[in-house]
Amino acid sequence: MDAAPRGIRPHISLFGRRNVGKSSLINALTGQKIALVSEIPGTTTDPVYKNMEVLPLGPVVFIDTAGLDDVGTLGAMRVEATKAVLKKTDLALVVLEPAAGLEACERELLETLKAANTPVIVVVNKCEQGGIPDGLASALGMLGLAPVPVSAKTGQGIETLRGTHITKVLQEFDPGSIIADLVKPGDFVVLCVPIDSAAPKGRIILPQVQAIRDLLDAGCVPVVAREHELKAAIAGLVKPPALVVTDSQVFRKVAQDVPKGIPFTSFSVAFARYKGDLATYVKGVKALDTLRPDARILVVEACTHHQMPDDIGRVKIPRWMRDRFGPGLSFEYARGSEMPADLSGYDLAIQCGGCMANRRGILAQMNAYAAAGVPITNYGILIAWLHGCLAEAIRPFGLTLPA
């Protein structure tokens, strides 16, 4: 790992009509030509994600989107793709130009962002010929917004936008802790890391890498072992570990091998809190008490990873659940930010750990399932329940099984 993962970077999205200079503004903010710029309206079609290290912001993700006023059948599809980006946006830059004023598409966008409590900076680009017209400033002022004048062409106002306005908003951005807040500096934490097809040779998977870094930053001592060496690793420590964290797939063995009195959980359970709402996921397993043998289940995968022969979401979880509830269970899949148009027919949604997604995007999906009345849980929570370990797995987080 030589860069901060996308899932923990603040997502800065640029919205606006065609040709207001969104792509040019990204290039100006980063000091690099990373976005394609053209005078032809509609140059940016699908949302474009760019991982960048920008001083003084640090690691961020810029998202360049298609114009809000795109036209035609394809244009409507592009606008829908742009609106989907709203769900994962940590900071929205709404880009206007002086002569165009504030139209219905921008007003609707600003209302949506306000309803979602998404921080917004209104940027008026192309100000090299003058300032912001009084009418536009007044219209934005009535919405409680103070526009920032810039020129992506000349660089006017770019440093102020980046170094003052954006930095001020992102100072409050905190990705949180994965597990380090559960232990103290100097504590030993044993991480049980099975080596299987999901871990390419020479690497371990992203949640495990992030957990190790989280512990090191907190002054803890992570000890990594495979499931077969776990007992020996614990016995060899000069003092008992403050916590054991395992891959969910070996929950049962780890539960048997961890001495009584040592708390344990899984990476996926930890990520359920880190990326989503752990209490909601735990509550979601109540649906299993009355799950029908012909239930319709949606598996929600945050990324479009290559499916492995023993894929956890597409092979192991369906097998374990059919062993428990019968062969009639129906499994469907949603990948990335996609979501079925109609959620009402599902009996349960199962969210992956979300290591490649950002927290705002995961929470937006959770809210959509809640609004549709669909209970949702998480891979690790479900697997712990299936293996009879859920009470122990959530105890380190101060939670108990739902009544």
Side-chain angles (χ1 to χ4, degrees):
M1 298 291 296
D2 57 1
R6 176 177 289 180
I8 66 171
R9 296 170 179 247
H11 286 43
I12 305 173
S13 304
L14 285 84
F15 302 100
R17 280 174 269 168
R18 292 174 296 169
N19 254 30
V20 296
K22 299 185 295 296
S23 300
S24 297
L25 185 56
I26 287 182
N27 290 345
L29 284 168
T30 61
Q32 301 181 42
K33 292 183 178 180
I34 63 172
L36 182 63
V37 174
S38 170
E39 295 297 325
I40 301 173
T43 300
T44 302
T45 53
D46 295 327
V48 178
Y49 294 73
K50 296 289 185 180
N51 287 5
M52 295 297 298
E53 301 275 341
V54 182
L55 294 175
L57 306 177
V60 301
V61 179
F62 281 106
I63 309 177
D64 194 7
T65 65
L68 296 169
D69 60 339
D70 214 335
V71 295
T73 303
L74 283 177
M77 295 172 65
R78 292 168 186 157
V79 172
E80 286 304 308
T82 292
K83 290 180 177 178
V85 170
L86 292 169
K87 299 174 183 177
K88 61 185 73 173
T89 297
D90 295 304
L91 169 61
L93 303 185
V94 178
V95 186
L96 309 174
E97 55 183 4
L102 189 65
E103 295 193 355
C105 59
E106 288 112 356
R107 291 182 182 275
E108 179 185 352
L109 171 68
L110 290 168
E111 289 175 2
T112 301
L113 291 166
K114 182 179 180 180
N117 293 316
T118 303
V120 178
I121 298 174
V122 175
V123 182
V124 181
N125 191 23
K126 304 183 181 180
C127 284
E128 60 266 20
Q129 301 300 325
I132 300 172
D134 291 342
L136 178 57
S138 176
L140 290 168
M142 293 179 66
L143 298 174
L145 297 167
V148 180
V150 304
S151 170
K153 181 177 181 180
T154 67
Q156 171 193 336
I158 295 297
E159 182 55 40
T160 299
L161 173 61
R162 179 180 56 226
T164 302
H165 295 281
I166 296 178
T167 300
K168 181 179 179 180
V169 172
L170 294 186
Q171 280 177 344
E172 299 180 3
F173 179 84
D174 180 8
S177 175
I178 302 172
I179 50 175
D181 61 320
L182 305 177
V183 292
K184 305 185 302 297
D187 280 346
F188 288 90
V189 179
V190 177
L191 308 177
C192 182
V193 177
I195 302 299
D196 57 19
S197 60
K201 190 172 182 62
R203 289 190 290 158
I204 57 177
I205 63 175
L206 183 58
Q208 297 160 0
V209 172
Q210 290 183 254
I212 292 171
R213 177 57 191 265
D214 188 48
L215 292 168
L216 291 173
D217 285 343
C220 300
V221 182
V223 177
V224 182
R226 295 181 299 177
E227 66 272 30
H228 303 296
E229 290 86 31
L230 178 63
K231 290 177 72 173
I234 294 174
L237 297 176
V238 296
K239 63 178 180 178
L243 180 68
V244 173
V245 186
T246 179
D247 187 287
S248 297
Q249 300 176 65
V250 291
F251 243 140
R252 185 170 292 160
K253 176 170 177 52
V254 171
Q256 295 170 349
D257 290 351
V258 174
K260 295 294 183 183
I262 296 177
F264 72 90
T265 188
S266 79
F267 295 103
S268 189
V269 173
F271 266 73
R273 180 187 67 150
Y274 183 55
K275 292 299 182 75
D277 185 317
L278 181 57
T280 298
Y281 285 138
V282 172
K283 183 180 177 181
V285 296
K286 283 291 293 180
L288 299 172
D289 293 342
T290 56
L291 196 69
R292 304 192 322 269
D294 62 344
R296 189 177 171 205
I297 299 169
L298 182 67
V299 178
V300 185
E301 301 173 323
C303 66
T304 54
H305 65 282
H306 179 71
Q307 183 180 337
M308 300 293 182
D310 58 350
D311 191 87
I312 184 66
R314 293 178 177 255
V315 178
K316 290 185 176 179
I317 285 178
R319 183 177 70 239
W320 289 331
M321 291 195 68
R322 285 175 175 140
D323 288 344
R324 183 70 172 264
F325 297 102
L329 296 180
S330 171
F331 289 87
E332 299 173 36
Y333 298 86
R335 309 185 77 178
S337 59
E338 68 183 26
M339 187 180 297
D342 181 11
L343 295 172
S344 61
Y346 294 101
D347 298 288
L348 178 68
I350 309 171
Q351 170 76 55
C352 74
C355 62
M356 297 297 291
N358 72 331
R359 188 165 194 264
R360 187 175 284 268
I362 294 289
L363 290 174
Q365 286 192 329
M366 294 185 72
N367 290 337
Y369 292 110
V374 179
I376 184 168
T377 192
N378 154 279
Y379 280 18
I381 301 296
L382 172 67
I383 295 169
W385 185 90
L386 289 169
H387 291 170
C389 307
L390 182 55
E392 292 84 357
I394 61 176
R395 188 172 295 134
F397 304 96
L399 295 178
T400 59
L401 293 178

